[in-house]
Amino acid sequence: MTTKKAILKIGKSKTAHELSVYSGTEGPDAIDVTALYNESGCFTYDPGFMSTASCDSTITYIDGEKGILRYRGYDIAELAKKSNFMEVCYLLLHGELPNKKEYGLFVSEVKKYSLVHEQLQFLYRGFPRFSHPMAIMSGAFASLSAFYHDSLDIRNKEQRKLAALRMIAKTPTLAAMAYKYSIGRPFIYPRNDLDYTANFLHMLFASPSEEYVVNKVLAKAMDTIFILHADHEQNASTSTVRLAGSSGANPFACISAGIASLWGPAHGGANEAVINMLEKIGDIKNIPNFIKKAKDKNDPFRLMGFGHRVYKNYDPRASVLRDTCHSVLKELGMQNNTLLKIAVTLEEIALTDTYFIERKLYPNVDFYSGIIYKAMGIPSNLFTVLFAIARTIGWVAQWKEMIEDPKQKIGRPRQLYTGYKLRKYVPVAKRK
Ligand code: ACO
């Protein structure tokens, strides 16, 4: 990182504070304010992290204005077309694409850990059948720290590696179990003769009583979705993982915190909300009314799957998913799907409407993923769980990067206090 300087004067003070300005390899420069409080007694104020970089990272690069997303320097569209999810996992974790030998070893190591402890079944059985699968996922994931004591020492490189492999390998198993449990069907064990994504679809849809053959087009589509969702730099759930991990918490607990954050409708819960919205719209003729509602400041309704904190252009993941969506619906003979028609028309109308143009609101990754999942027969309350499977590798890579950073400190934001000044305690008998 090269250094420039920024000068800050506060109010009428004659003191000028000289702040270092760091340049990354790409993207905006960042002003280092770490010493500002000690020197000036002032904090910086940035709720929602609108202008604050919380760390430096070599994993993912986003240019929201241009609609660019790259993992370790590789463009997302190229990875989606030419790579596969396991290779992308290796890339995110280790920084480089694997050679043939490294790839083979990584895949077999991940497969080795795909089973979960048999006792976990009893944890699942403690949940009500109507539980949201994300509730089960975050609970089950946190519980892994109770089972795998030999991968909890975050200062031990081998244990960190073991924890990473376990988390990548077990997430699909936990997710499929959450689904099977919710519909009262038997759990399906992982099959290591299948690849990562086909194995997940098998655990999701197979039954012990009959043979289930995984559809190759659907498996490829799911693998693409996993690649697209694998990492997205310092979003809410990843920042949650980093903040939880900054205290030295074990990796299973940290990823569980990330799952909880991802669940929110403004984050990973949005694709479920997109389907609910498209179903509510119901017919192309109702679209103008919903567009009107989305633009009305007195109406809380927002066009789900539109807008992004970082992308002020078409989300590059949405472009890939649009094509994937068409190929999945073609494979399933569902080209005339009503939800897809509503989605395509809604997108066309919104992209030519001044409200959306002025605010740079474009379809985001969640806009098409829900339609693909629905066509595959995946219930909407499982959508965010699929996001969690894919994002686990991003969380793990970011957590690992943070732990291995010699500058790493516990994360502790400050605040602008706006509450009461000192007050005298009044005994209850004397209060009005
Ligand atoms: N529909 C209608 N208006 C919108 C939408 C939307 N989906 N998104 C933003 N706006 C408007 C806001 O009302 C605001 O208008 P104003 O300037 O007149 O007040 C302006 O656009 C800016 O919006 P903010 O909320 O300030 O933008 P922010 O960056 O904070 O929010 C967010 C981003 C949360 C994603 C937002 O666009 C949204 O709620 N979208 C719908 C939910 C969604 O699809 N989330 C998935 C995100 S992708 C992911 O997490 C994987």
Side-chain angles (χ1 to χ4, degrees):
M1 286 192 283
T2 53
T3 40
K4 296 183 235 170
K5 297 287 172 196
I7 305 296
L8 179 73
K9 279 190 156 193
I10 300 169
K12 291 187 178 150
S13 160
K14 292 206 170 68
T15 314
H17 301 280
E18 199 179 77
L19 306 167
S20 296
V21 180
Y22 301 132
S23 298
T25 41
E26 291 195 83
D29 290 348
I31 302 170
D32 182 351
V33 294
T34 41
L36 188 65
Y37 174 60
N38 271 347
E39 288 179 14
S40 71
C42 280
F43 296 142
T44 54
Y45 179 70
D46 185 15
F49 296 92
M50 300 298 286
S51 300
T52 297
S54 60
C55 62
D56 47 74
S57 178
T58 60
I59 301 174
T60 292
Y61 173 67
I62 301 174
D63 183 332
E65 294 296 328
K66 294 188 185 140
I68 290 174
L69 169 61
R70 293 184 203 136
Y71 299 157
R72 304 282 192 186
Y74 295 97
D75 185 69
I76 192 69
E78 192 178 17
L79 289 172
K81 198 170 165 197
K82 299 180 184 166
S83 186
N84 63 59
F85 184 60
M86 272 296 95
E87 191 176 68
V88 166
C89 285
Y90 186 97
L91 173 69
L92 288 169
L93 203 57
H94 299 293
E96 297 296 335
L97 285 168
N99 62 28
K100 211 171 164 186
K101 194 172 157 208
E102 289 163 337
Y103 177 74
L105 185 65
F106 181 70
V107 169
S108 66
E109 279 182 326
V110 170
K111 284 185 176 177
K112 195 166 124 193
Y113 294 107
S114 60
L115 279 167
V116 294
H117 196 290
E118 204 59 11
Q119 191 76 8
L120 256 160
Q121 293 201 15
F122 299 100
L123 181 86
Y124 274 69
R125 293 185 203 288
F127 282 98
R129 293 271 179 192
F130 53 79
S131 305
H132 195 291
M134 280 299 271
I136 302 182
M137 270 304 273
S138 67
F141 215 102
S143 81
L144 295 181
S145 51
F147 291 97
Y148 302 107
H149 291 243
D150 56 348
S151 47
L152 298 181
D153 181 357
I154 61 162
R155 300 290 158 212
N156 179 315
K157 196 175 168 201
E158 284 310 309
Q159 293 208 18
R160 284 202 300 276
K161 182 183 167 196
L162 188 54
L165 289 170
R166 279 185 168 140
M167 290 189 281
I168 299 162
K170 294 183 196 309
T171 320
T173 314
L174 294 176
M177 285 172 73
Y179 173 61
K180 289 295 194 194
Y181 182 75
S182 73
I183 56 168
R185 295 271 172 85
F187 298 133
I188 302 291
Y189 285 106
R191 262 187 45 190
N192 290 350
D193 59 320
L194 297 174
D195 69 35
Y196 188 87
T197 310
N199 171 49
F200 170 62
L201 289 177
H202 188 264
M203 288 191 290
L204 205 57
F205 292 125
S207 138
S209 50
E210 57 194 60
E211 200 195 348
Y212 176 83
V213 180
V214 178
N215 178 310
K216 287 203 170 88
V217 175
L218 303 192
K220 168 77 184 125
M222 185 65 84
D223 203 72
T224 305
I225 294 176
F226 283 174
I227 292 173
L228 299 176
H229 286 80
D231 193 48
H232 213 233
E233 50 117 309
Q234 309 313 318
N235 55 82
S237 56
T238 303
S239 299
T240 302
V241 169
R242 279 189 180 253
L243 196 55
S246 77
S247 72
N250 76 69
F252 304 106
C254 296
I255 305 304
S256 167
I259 293 172
S261 169
L262 184 74
W263 194 1
H267 192 8
N271 52 13
E272 185 177 343
V274 171
I275 289 295
N276 294 339
M277 176 190 74
L278 294 175
E279 282 174 346
K280 220 164 155 188
I281 295 174
D283 196 296
I284 290 177
K285 71 175 190 306
N286 300 327
I287 292 176
N289 187 34
F290 279 85
I291 297 264
K292 203 168 139 205
K293 274 164 71 64
K295 289 162 33 175
D296 181 357
K297 287 284 150 230
N298 298 317
D299 190 324
F301 175 75
R302 279 187 166 197
L303 221 51
M304 298 316 287
F306 263 77
H308 198 276
R309 170 60 60 80
V310 179
Y311 293 117
K312 302 302 168 196
N313 202 324
Y314 212 99
D315 181 335
R317 302 166 298 174
S319 321
V320 177
L321 276 191
R322 200 174 196 268
D323 295 343
T324 307
C325 186
H326 284 285
S327 67
V328 166
L329 294 183
K330 189 169 166 224
E331 172 71 12
L332 298 172
M334 295 167 73
Q335 293 99 316
N336 290 325
N337 180 276
T338 312
L339 293 188
L340 180 69
K341 280 188 181 160
I342 296 173
V344 170
T345 316
L346 184 65
E347 183 186 336
E348 276 166 16
I349 296 176
L351 290 179
T352 50
D353 188 300
T354 43
Y355 174 93
F356 294 91
I357 294 170
E358 278 168 8
R359 288 168 182 76
K360 299 184 176 173
L361 300 170
Y362 293 86
N364 60 47
V365 67
D366 292 315
F367 194 66
Y368 282 103
S369 58
I371 301 173
I372 301 174
Y373 293 151
K374 196 169 164 70
M376 286 182 177
I378 294 168
S380 56
N381 67 357
L382 210 65
F383 293 178
T384 317
V385 172
L386 303 190
F387 194 158
I389 297 176
R391 186 54 58 85
T392 295
I393 178 57
W395 291 328
V396 170
Q398 298 269 352
W399 169 81
K400 178 174 173 285
E401 181 178 63
M402 179 191 70
I403 296 297
E404 291 173 2
D405 181 351
K407 302 189 298 298
Q408 190 262 322
K409 275 178 184 296
I410 186 166
R412 178 39 168 110
R414 307 305 288 255
Q415 64 168 13
L416 180 67
Y417 176 69
T418 56
Y420 285 109
K421 290 193 173 173
L422 181 65
R423 297 198 282 174
K424 281 267 177 243
Y425 179 84
V426 180
V428 67
K430 292 192 176 170
R431 284 178 219 153
K432 285 182 198 155

